[in-house]
Amino acid sequence: MFHFKQFDIRQDHAAMKVGTDSDLLGALAEGGERILDIGTGTGVLALMMAQRFPKANITAIDIDADAILDASYNFSHSPFADRLTLHHCSLKDFVKVRVKVNLFDSILCNPPYFDKSLEAPDKGRARARHTSSLPFSELIESAYELLQDDGIFSVILPPEVLPTFSAHALITGFWLKHCYKIKTVPSKDPKRYILIYQKGRTDSQEETVCLRNADNTFSDWHNRLLAEFLTC
């Protein structure tokens, strides 16, 4: 079990466990009344959004049966169970039944981003980590179709795939609303980027932040960001 302040995460079955990427995206992604979590895994992002947006209804999907086991348990044992819906399906199949019907205000995803590296021998972990299971083009175009006008699409990515992802998003029609450049410590280059896109024209903002101070203690920014979720 991984313990948050308002809910717990069982992660016995899901290939990808709770980590810093999910914590950051769950705390920074923009919400709305109807939210979709693509590739929910343990369900941690959906649960964080449910806590942050008390009036939101959250739909979560995942193609992996083991992830569904954990997410289902975590949803049903959380205080937000009545606002969470889980579907065991691919994104492609979900789009077929949902596009143009009850479009979403906000979509978030911690996407697979390994491309040319060797895939993990564990099939579930490989699916969760490699773009062969969900190409950027499919993810971006599906998110665009599933969002209402002015809807928000939030993702977290490493720098090496940023140009490819950004190009696909631009071609599809997304506008970059906010870019968080996340450093581990002040002296390092950003290790992660959280990108907040909007379906529709918007102004763009950029912000550079650090997870830790020079002495490796957690930064004030990190502690403030996760204060409602973790004991830092």
Side-chain angles (χ1 to χ4, degrees):
M1 284 285 188
F2 191 98
H3 301 287
F4 288 82
K5 288 184 176 180
Q6 294 191 31
F7 57 88
D8 294 325
I9 294 291
R10 187 183 77 172
Q11 45 186 354
D12 298 340
H13 304 92
M16 298 302 292
K17 313 304 182 186
V18 174
T20 302
D21 284 8
S22 55
D23 290 347
L24 294 172
L25 182 59
L28 288 171
E30 294 192 15
E33 293 184 2
R34 296 180 303 280
I35 299 172
L36 173 64
D37 175 20
I38 297 174
T40 194
T42 62
V44 62
L45 289 177
L47 287 161
M48 291 179 76
M49 296 299 277
Q51 178 179 327
R52 289 178 59 208
F53 302 98
K55 295 182 179 180
N57 288 297
I58 296 95
T59 300
I61 65 171
D62 205 295
I63 196 172
D64 187 78
D66 288 334
I68 291 293
L69 287 174
D70 282 342
S72 178
Y73 178 91
N74 294 331
F75 287 1
S76 63
H77 287 76
S78 78
F80 320 115
D82 61 333
R83 296 189 287 114
L84 294 161
T85 304
L86 181 63
H87 296 283
H88 181 198
C89 65
S90 67
L91 177 58
K92 186 176 295 185
D93 288 340
F94 186 78
V95 171
K96 289 177 183 177
V97 298
R98 285 300 296 263
V99 69
K100 305 302 180 185
V101 179
N102 296 322
L103 295 179
F104 293 94
D105 303 300
S106 168
I107 296 176
L108 69 160
C109 181
N110 181 1
Y113 49 73
F114 287 101
D115 186 9
K116 297 178 182 179
S117 57
L118 293 175
E119 293 199 357
D122 178 271
K123 290 183 179 179
R125 188 167 174 81
R127 186 185 295 118
R129 290 164 60 87
H130 290 264
T131 56
S132 58
S133 65
L134 182 58
F136 287 158
S137 56
E138 181 183 336
L139 170 61
I140 293 166
E141 290 166 16
S142 297
Y144 196 85
E145 286 190 75
L146 290 166
L147 281 170
Q148 66 173 2
D149 291 343
D150 296 329
I152 298 296
F153 178 39
S154 306
V155 295
I156 184 167
L157 296 167
E160 57 266 26
V161 301
L162 187 65
T164 301
F165 192 95
S166 298
H168 279 303
L170 179 63
I171 291 168
T172 302
F174 277 114
W175 288 71
L176 183 61
K177 182 179 181 182
H178 204 128
C179 173
Y180 295 92
K181 299 180 177 182
I182 302 172
K183 298 182 175 186
T184 51
V185 293
S187 60
K188 301 287 187 180
D189 291 331
K191 189 172 183 179
R192 290 290 185 271
Y193 288 77
I194 288 183
L195 307 173
I196 313 293
Y197 289 101
Q198 182 169 303
K199 183 179 177 179
R201 191 180 184 94
T202 183
D203 294 330
S204 182
Q205 298 181 43
E206 191 175 283
E207 186 175 352
T208 301
V209 294
C210 288
L211 297 178
R212 293 179 178 272
N213 302 310
D215 62 2
N216 211 37
T217 57
F218 281 119
S219 67
D220 289 343
W221 176 84
H222 169 277
N223 292 341
R224 288 195 305 271
L225 181 70
L226 297 176
E228 297 301 314
F229 298 102
L230 302 171
T231 302
C232 300

